[in-house]
Amino acid sequence: PPSPLRASDAVPGFHAMMRGPLVPRFRVADPPRPPPVLPPPIVPPKTLEELKAMVEEVKRRAVVMREANAEKLRKPREPLPPKPEQRPGFVAEIPSAKKPLDWLGERARDCFEEVAMIGLQRMPLLGDPFRSTQFLERRMLCAFDAIAALGPGALMRLEPLALDSPVKDPARAFAAAFVFGCIEGRDALGAAERIFRWYGPSVDDIADGFANGLKLATNPLVDVVARAWLSDPDPSMRAVGIDVLGYRRTATPEELVACANDSAPRVATKALPYLGVLNPREHLQAMHDAIDSALQAFDLDLRDAAWTAMSLSAHPHVSTTLNRALGDESTTDRAAIPLAIVADALDAAELLRRAEAKPTESLLLALGWAGAADCVPFLIKQVGGKKKELKTAAANALDRISGARLYEEMAIDPEKIEVEDPPTPEIDLGGPKPPKPLPLAQKISDPRDLPGEGAPDALELPTTNVGRWQQWWNERRDSFRAGSRYRRGHPYTPLVSWWELDQWRVTPFERRMLQRELVVRTGQYVPFDPFDFIPVQEAALQQWEPHARSASGHGGSWSRSMRR
């Protein structure tokens, strides 16, 4: 018999219960009705005798039809139920009591929707510290524990509930993977897989939501199921399988190499970063061949994955490759920040030269990541420009280099507060530009009653007042040495990246870049992802601290370490 259920403590638990198997539900169509018996068709007459016979047959059929209709009319109608007596002060009609299984189904639905609502929305918003979302995690775990506490009856209601949902959305895919992935039994993971295949693995958002749920699951059979998907004919299933195995650090080098060389770009895109993290010496040539093949692909996401693998594995040509991508108009903005992560003094000078020639939002942000003191006057000049996007990007870059904390309250457009990734660069292909996308509230509303754009959000962000930045630079320019690298006002060392990852209010994308930077600058690797639960992130930060300290020698240097 299973042990008693225990509530999840900061991280999801693994619940076992006495129950029957979670069998699939099949939808069977109603049996077809037998076709009505029709009289034989009347043959067109050719003689007068046949015409008389046809007339008689038509009269006979009319009499038969009239009698059949009369028989239907003679049937008495069912009397209407009597109306309850209306007495003042009393309920006119008492609803019937709910059956226990119906009540369980309603409670299970509430808890399942709670997990779905919070699961993919628990990332911190712009300007929030990452620890501020822990209350959302606890709320999600309470909803998951409640489903297990309701018993097998509630668990059996989840699959029909997910399959019959009006919208196949990533949130429900995450909830199905997370809830069933933390319940004992192979049949629980089978229920999650059925939901996933019904929702559609080929949809990127649904596949990512389902994979994120399995990454947090506690069932030890998750690895077995994900490994079976590597041989699935559907490339979407293979991509989810290697993504889950790589995240949980259970993928073998052979599996990563095979998936990195997969013919489907989606599979290779998921496998290459994990292959770079593992950096297997016995498969070094195979990894380099997979990276070279990805760099020649037309898929830009696959090229991003190749750059990530090169950075994490300390590839000898990573800086050269990113500089070459920086010269291509289609990949300039994509390669800017990855180059800044691995940059030396020459790379930082190249970033500054390209930003001076044609400033873009990504190039200005990359200057902040590179941290060269020589680019501060140029960034201050960009803060005094006219374009709002460039002013904001330059201010953020200055704040990353200086740590001056020159903040002011700014108005942020609605839905812009959920910022995770840098803006996707727009490639001018000629012709009219597409219209500006509508806000989500207007997309889903009735066109006859569209809501307004909404009130802006007020946040404290780096100031775009050029006078304040110029005054700060005039007072502190002597503290910055030309040719050195700075981060948050300190000469750069890996310990500053660790401090920024732990204490500063940075977005999830920036935290992933800081994790990559720690790997590049220390040569060590500790599993860390902003999607993990807060206690898991804190434990990873504790493991990172000694590595960051031991690699923090001369401040302001551009040195990179080889992977160990």
Side-chain angles (χ1 to χ4, degrees):
S3 57
L5 296 177
R6 295 183 178 275
S8 302
D9 183 14
V11 294
F14 181 46
H15 296 318
M17 61 186 72
M18 294 292 292
R19 59 177 176 84
L22 298 174
V23 296
R25 185 189 67 166
F26 296 96
R27 238 177 226 171
V28 181
D30 295 333
R33 296 180 179 180
V37 180
L38 298 177
I42 298 176
V43 181
K46 296 181 180 180
T47 63
L48 290 175
E49 288 75 10
E50 292 178 357
L51 178 60
K52 292 179 180 179
M54 185 193 71
V55 172
E56 294 298 329
E57 178 64 18
V58 171
K59 291 181 178 179
R60 187 189 66 81
R61 292 186 183 184
V63 172
V64 172
M65 187 179 297
R66 192 181 305 112
E67 292 178 354
N69 292 336
E71 182 67 23
K72 292 180 181 179
L73 294 175
R74 282 196 295 268
K75 289 184 179 180
R77 294 183 180 180
E78 296 183 1
L80 296 176
K83 293 184 178 181
E85 183 182 359
Q86 299 286 346
R87 299 179 60 186
F90 292 89
V91 177
E93 188 174 354
I94 300 177
S96 58
K98 292 182 180 179
K99 297 180 180 179
L101 287 180
D102 293 339
W103 181 86
L104 280 178
E106 291 184 5
R107 290 291 299 131
R109 176 179 181 175
D110 293 342
C111 296
F112 184 80
E113 296 292 343
E114 185 88 353
V115 175
M117 177 186 68
I118 298 176
L120 298 180
Q121 304 296 329
R122 57 189 180 87
M123 306 292 279
L125 299 176
L126 183 64
D128 291 342
F130 78 96
R131 293 180 177 88
S132 65
T133 62
Q134 191 166 10
F135 79 97
L136 290 175
E137 294 181 352
R138 291 174 178 171
R139 179 174 169 179
M140 184 181 75
L141 293 178
C142 287
F144 160 65
D145 291 337
I147 294 175
L150 289 172
L155 198 64
M156 294 178 181
R157 292 293 186 98
L158 294 185
E159 183 179 355
L161 172 66
L163 294 178
D164 292 338
S165 61
V167 178
K168 300 176 181 179
D169 61 334
R172 289 186 175 87
F174 167 87
F178 177 76
V179 172
F180 285 116
C182 296
I183 300 295
E184 185 186 30
R186 175 64 180 85
D187 60 335
L189 296 176
E193 181 178 354
R194 289 192 293 272
I195 295 172
F196 179 44
R197 290 184 182 272
W198 173 254
Y199 277 18
S202 59
V203 182
D204 291 341
D205 291 341
I206 290 177
D208 291 341
F210 184 80
N212 288 335
L214 282 187
K215 290 173 183 178
L216 304 178
T218 54
N219 192 327
L221 296 177
V222 168
D223 298 336
V224 178
V225 176
R227 185 161 284 112
W229 292 340
L230 299 183
S231 57
D232 195 285
D234 187 351
S236 302
M237 298 299 298
R238 299 199 299 273
V240 171
I242 197 62
D243 190 17
V244 173
L245 290 173
Y247 190 94
R248 296 166 69 93
R249 296 181 62 80
T250 54
T252 64
E254 293 76 15
E255 291 168 342
L256 288 172
V257 169
C259 290
N261 289 281
D262 197 289
S263 59
R266 180 181 299 185
V267 183
T269 300
K270 296 295 184 183
L272 275 172
Y274 298 119
L275 185 60
V277 166
L278 193 61
N279 197 24
R281 297 303 174 187
E282 64 276 14
H283 299 283
L284 199 60
Q285 186 58 46
M287 180 180 71
H288 288 174
D289 292 343
I291 289 175
D292 293 340
S293 177
L295 291 175
Q296 304 301 322
F298 292 101
D299 192 299
L300 296 182
D301 291 335
L302 185 54
R303 292 192 203 178
D304 288 346
W307 299 337
T308 303
M310 295 176 74
S311 301
L312 296 175
S313 62
H315 195 286
H317 303 304
V318 57
S319 179
T320 305
T321 302
L322 288 170
N323 269 290
R324 190 182 304 118
L326 201 65
D328 188 346
E329 290 186 2
S330 63
T331 55
T332 297
D333 287 330
R334 283 177 173 262
I337 293 179
L339 177 60
I341 296 296
V342 301
D344 55 17
L346 294 178
D347 298 328
E350 177 65 15
L351 285 170
L352 178 59
R353 185 185 70 80
R354 290 189 176 276
E356 289 174 339
K358 185 180 179 181
T360 63
E361 191 174 354
S362 296
L363 283 172
L364 295 181
L365 292 173
L367 290 177
W369 282 99
D374 311 74
C375 68
V376 172
F378 169 74
L379 290 173
I380 294 177
K381 181 180 178 181
Q382 292 300 312
V383 172
K386 296 181 179 179
K387 292 186 178 181
K388 180 180 179 181
E389 294 79 7
L390 297 183
K391 290 166 61 74
T392 303
N396 284 321
L398 285 171
D399 184 59
R400 188 174 300 278
I401 295 173
S402 66
R405 300 179 188 267
L406 300 180
Y407 298 148
E408 65 181 5
E409 194 172 87
M410 295 186 182
I412 303 296
D413 294 337
E415 300 184 5
K416 294 294 184 183
I417 194 171
E418 298 181 8
V419 177
E420 180 176 354
D421 295 337
T424 303
E426 295 182 0
I427 302 176
D428 189 5
L429 300 177
K433 293 186 178 181
K436 182 180 179 181
L438 294 174
L440 178 61
Q442 295 186 9
K443 288 182 180 179
I444 63 176
S445 299
D446 192 319
R448 297 169 297 179
D449 186 22
L450 291 177
E453 295 185 355
D457 297 292
L459 290 177
E460 283 193 349
L461 296 175
T463 181
T464 54
N465 186 332
V466 65
R468 294 183 63 184
W469 283 114
Q470 190 62 56
Q471 180 183 0
W472 171 87
W473 179 242
N474 292 337
E475 294 174 356
R476 292 173 174 79
R477 73 169 69 228
D478 295 337
S479 302
F480 290 81
R481 301 189 307 270
S484 296
R485 188 184 191 203
Y486 290 86
R487 177 69 59 79
R488 302 299 183 183
H490 299 273
Y492 178 80
T493 64
L495 192 61
V496 180
S497 292
W498 174 85
W499 172 55
E500 188 177 7
L501 189 64
D502 183 43
Q503 298 296 331
W504 283 77
R505 299 183 179 186
V506 290
T507 65
F509 168 78
E510 293 172 319
R511 303 188 78 217
R512 290 191 174 97
M513 291 297 103
L514 289 169
Q515 160 77 355
R516 185 188 302 185
E517 190 173 49
L518 282 171
V519 176
V520 169
R521 302 297 174 178
T522 65
Q524 303 290 340
Y525 180 77
V526 174
F528 175 86
D529 194 275
F531 194 74
D532 288 329
F533 286 94
I534 302 300
V536 178
Q537 295 185 47
E538 291 180 335
L541 289 172
Q542 292 178 1
Q543 297 179 37
W544 258 127
E545 183 178 8
H547 298 309
R549 288 188 181 279
S550 62
S552 298
H554 179 65
S557 66
W558 302 85
S559 61
R560 297 194 299 259
S561 298
M562 298 299 295
R563 278 295 305 276
R564 292 187 289 274

